[in-house]
Amino acid sequence: NKYGLVELHKRFGDSQLPDIELTDIKDKHKRKQMQGHFSDRLMEQIQESLSLKEQVILFQNRRGYSPVVECRSCGNSPQCPHCDVSLTYHMYNTQLRCHYCGYHQPLPVTCPSCGNPGLETKGFGTEQIETEISELFPNARVARLDLDTTRGKHGFYKIISAFEDREIDILVGTQMLSKGLDFDHVSLVGIMNADNMLNFPDFRAHERSFQLMTQVAGRAGRTNKRGKVIIQTFNPYHQILQQISIYDYLGMYLDQINERHQFQYPPFVRMIKISLKH
C-alpha cells in the first residue's frame, strides 16, 4: 500500500479531450495515398488547420534525419566504434552521429565495406519530417524542437515563445513537446509513426507508448474547440492504440500487469542491471 491512484477525469476549464483517430498507413501505402511520410488524412487535417489559422504539432520520437544508413549492394550499415549501435544521419551538417556517446564522422561517399557509392537512408527522424512538411506546405512557417535545435543557451525558450506568439504554424518535435506545454491555438496533433515506440525492445514499451501518446494528444484543443489527434500506424488494431483512442487507462493497466506477472517482470520481481564499462 505504498501507492494510491489519483484519477482526473475532466480537463481544466472543462475543455473536451481531443478526438483521437487511427490511420492505417499500410492501407494508405497500398492505395498510393501517402505523400512521403504523410497520409492523405493527415494532409487534409493540416490543410484545414492552416486555413483556419490554427497551429499544428507533429510528433516523431527520433531526432536526426534518418536512424540507419545502409549500403544498397552489401547491406553494411556504419556503426559507432564505441557503442556498437547504428549511427544516425544528421542532414544539416552531413554527419553520422552516435546518440549515446556523441561520436561523429562525416557521411561517407562510398560504402566503407564494399566501396559502392549506393548508400541509402532507412527510417526517418524529425529532421526529415521538417524537410518534407516544408516542401508539402511551402507557405507554412515550420520549426523543429529537439536536442539539436535547442543546444544554444536559450534555444528551447526561443522556439516555444515563437510558437506561443504564433510565429510558427507547424512545430515538429520529439518528446520534448509532450510535457506540460499549454498552447491555445493548437487544434491538431499528428503522431507520425506509433509503431517505433510500440516495438521498442523493452518490457515497458507499451506502458510508455500509452503515456507518451496520451500526453502528446493532450496538447491539442486546450481551449473551447475540440482538438484532433491523428496517429499513423501500420497496425491500427494494436491493443495499446485502441486503448489510447478511447483513453482506457484501466484496461491498459490490467493488461500490462497481467502480462508482467506472467513473464516475471517488475513489479512482481526485482531486476538487477549490471553494466560493465572500460
Side-chain angles (χ1 to χ4, degrees):
N1 292 325
K2 268 189 199 169
Y3 300 102
L5 175 65
V6 178
E7 294 186 87
L8 189 65
H9 291 296
K10 270 192 183 158
R11 260 177 145 183
F12 174 76
D14 276 347
S15 60
Q16 282 180 295
L17 285 168
D19 169 35
I20 297 182
E21 183 183 316
L22 303 173
T23 297
D24 183 351
I25 47 182
K26 188 155 89 187
D27 183 54
K28 300 285 184 194
H29 274 293
K30 258 188 216 151
R31 295 168 191 259
K32 307 260 187 294
Q33 290 173 332
M34 295 287 290
Q35 288 192 44
H37 293 102
F38 293 84
S39 62
D40 56 343
R41 188 77 188 101
L42 184 52
M43 297 276 290
E44 270 165 35
Q45 291 293 321
I46 293 174
Q47 190 62 64
E48 193 182 311
S49 297
L50 294 176
S51 63
L52 294 169
K53 299 271 182 285
E54 291 166 343
Q55 291 170 300
V56 178
I57 283 177
L58 296 175
F59 173 75
Q60 169 62 5
N61 206 15
R62 204 173 240 162
R63 62 196 170 97
Y65 187 83
S66 183
V68 179
V69 175
E70 194 175 86
C71 170
R72 271 195 214 114
S73 12
C74 73
N76 179 51
S77 161
Q79 306 278 319
C80 171
H82 312 301
C83 308
D84 202 29
V85 293
S86 59
L87 296 170
T88 302
Y89 172 47
H90 287 249
M91 193 167 76
Y92 73 99
N93 53 10
T94 55
Q95 268 187 353
L96 294 177
R97 297 190 78 93
C98 172
H99 285 179
Y100 288 107
C101 70
Y103 168 84
H104 55 87
Q105 65 178 62
L107 179 73
V109 185
T110 57
C111 169
S113 172
C114 71
N116 270 9
L119 286 173
E120 64 178 354
T121 55
K122 292 264 174 87
F124 60 100
T126 46
E127 215 180 357
Q128 193 166 342
I129 295 301
E130 182 191 23
T131 309
E132 270 186 30
I133 198 77
S134 306
E135 286 165 9
L136 292 168
F137 296 97
N139 300 329
R141 296 161 300 176
V142 180
R144 175 162 55 94
L145 184 75
D146 57 27
L147 259 181
D148 299 323
T149 57
T150 54
R151 282 190 198 283
K153 196 176 174 192
H154 303 295
F156 182 78
Y157 296 104
K158 271 184 196 153
I159 297 170
I160 292 296
S161 310
F163 195 59
E164 273 182 336
D165 300 341
R166 303 178 77 174
E167 291 161 22
I168 296 168
D169 300 316
I170 301 173
L171 186 59
V172 180
T174 55
Q175 61 183 17
M176 283 180 148
L177 276 176
S178 63
K179 297 184 176 66
L181 299 172
D182 186 15
F183 304 114
D184 289 347
H185 303 284
V186 174
S187 62
L188 175 69
V189 168
I191 294 176
M192 297 304 301
N193 181 352
D195 308 303
N196 64 2
M197 288 185 269
L198 290 167
N199 300 334
F200 195 73
D202 182 319
F203 70 91
R204 289 163 296 205
H206 287 178
E207 178 195 0
R208 284 185 176 162
S209 301
F210 184 96
Q211 181 188 13
L212 200 51
M213 285 190 244
T214 306
Q215 275 192 321
V216 177
R219 302 306 110 218
R222 295 179 69 88
T223 43
N224 313 333
K225 190 186 165 191
R226 191 175 187 194
K228 180 96 182 152
V229 180
I230 290 190
I231 298 180
Q232 297 196 144
T233 169
F234 284 100
N235 181 9
Y237 300 106
H238 194 293
Q239 202 159 4
I240 288 285
L241 295 177
Q242 291 292 328
Q243 287 160 345
I244 290 169
S245 67
I246 55 169
Y247 299 97
D248 181 13
Y249 171 78
L250 203 64
M252 182 277 300
Y253 167 77
L254 291 170
D255 282 352
Q256 292 302 308
I257 209 79
N258 289 337
E259 221 168 83
R260 294 204 193 169
H261 186 250
Q262 196 181 333
F263 293 110
Q264 297 280 300
Y265 277 132
F268 299 101
V269 298
R270 282 194 173 175
M271 279 178 111
I272 298 172
K273 177 184 176 188
I274 299 173
S275 301
L276 304 177
K277 275 189 182 176
H278 173 52

